[in-house]
Amino acid sequence: MERLGSVQQKVACLFVTQVTEEPSWKREQQPFRVLASETINPKALAAGVHSAIPTEKVDGTCCYVTTFKGKPYLWARLDRKPTKLAEKRFKKFLYAKEDSKEFIWNIEEDFKQVPDCWIPAKKINQANGNPLPDENGHIPGWVPVEKGSKHYCWHLSVVNYEVEVALVLRPCPEDSGVLEITEVPLSDLLEQTLELIGTNINANPYGLGSKKHPVHLLVAHGSFQIKKPPHLKYNDLVLWFESSQRGKVEGIVWHCNNGFLIKLHRHHLGLSWPIPDPYLISQPVIINVNLTKYEHDFDSKSLFSHFSKMKSQTYEGLKHVKIEERTEEKVNK
């Protein structure tokens, strides 16, 4: 499949948004909601959203593959956030209903320290060589997921740095109606952004794995294209999300020809997420993990080893892919 745009900056909403003073459905302790109006965002129109490629927005945590110590590495999202004092000052400014673009940050003093290996996201604005915070007061960035990291243990479960491969969920090349779990060289993923999904990510909306045997996978952004998208009208989109089987997704991300990304989350339309039986788990999935070609002894308890033992097996859907007991849940061998 054609490689689409990567997430290296805050993605604009399809519609002009408005803030309402009621608790957020998406973020705990956020006392307001961001809802879409019926007016298409001028940024979306300027980017050519009407000719863009619509893809499913997958619910996970954002990752990035780029080099570290001369090798392709998985990087985790880590935003540089303001200190408590600076955040208090920023929120006071926002609640005063003033234009946040006029807020003046002191980049040297207003932000918490980050690891020396931290890098800013590529497409964020800069001034005098310093990355600038987005409208939420954060500076998006990345840190490498290094071996032995307890904080990023679920990230580590989907990569093997010795043979430089990652566990990826994607459409099966032989059958677009089937998903595939396979190992992919990290070099093939260089400069791509992805979502890490699974048992211990965002309350596991796709029902992957179990507490005893967690399952996590990487999904490259833009992997799941929406073939028959709704019209870019507010009511048509609401109807699609509420009534269509394909609309049982967290949201849509449009990949524009100029690399610009536009998104629409169910929450923007006042619709709930997560939901029962999302579209992603309704498709059959085949395991195509083959470790015999690598001159390396994989840990027998790793996801790579488990999936290699399940090679060529097909399951009714992602929630049926279990590590512990598999025989009853196979569609075929």
Side-chain angles (χ1 to χ4, degrees), residues 15 105 173:
F15 295 108
W105 292 99

Side-chain angles (χ1 to χ4, degrees), residues 286-329:
I286 187 170
I287 313 297
N288 282 330
V289 175
N290 180 10
L291 304 183
T292 59
K293 54 190 172 183
Y294 304 106
E295 295 181 1
H296 174 72
D297 291 328
F298 286 79
D299 184 339
S300 62
K301 295 182 180 180
S302 72
L303 281 177
F304 289 89
S305 292
H306 283 302
F307 281 133
S308 70
K309 295 172 185 175
M310 300 156 69
K311 186 179 184 300
S312 300
Q313 294 177 8
T314 301
Y315 297 82
E316 292 180 7
L318 281 174
K319 67 180 181 181
H320 297 292
V321 179
K322 303 294 184 184
I323 297 299
E324 57 272 324
E325 195 62 52
R326 304 182 295 272
T327 55
E328 295 180 0
E329 305 200 10

Side-chain angles (χ1 to χ4, degrees), residues 73-88:
Y73 252 70
L74 184 67
W75 294 59
R77 176 75 176 265
L78 180 67
D79 289 1
R80 192 176 181 191
K81 298 180 179 180
T83 62
K84 287 185 178 181
L85 189 63
E87 184 177 28
K88 185 177 180 181

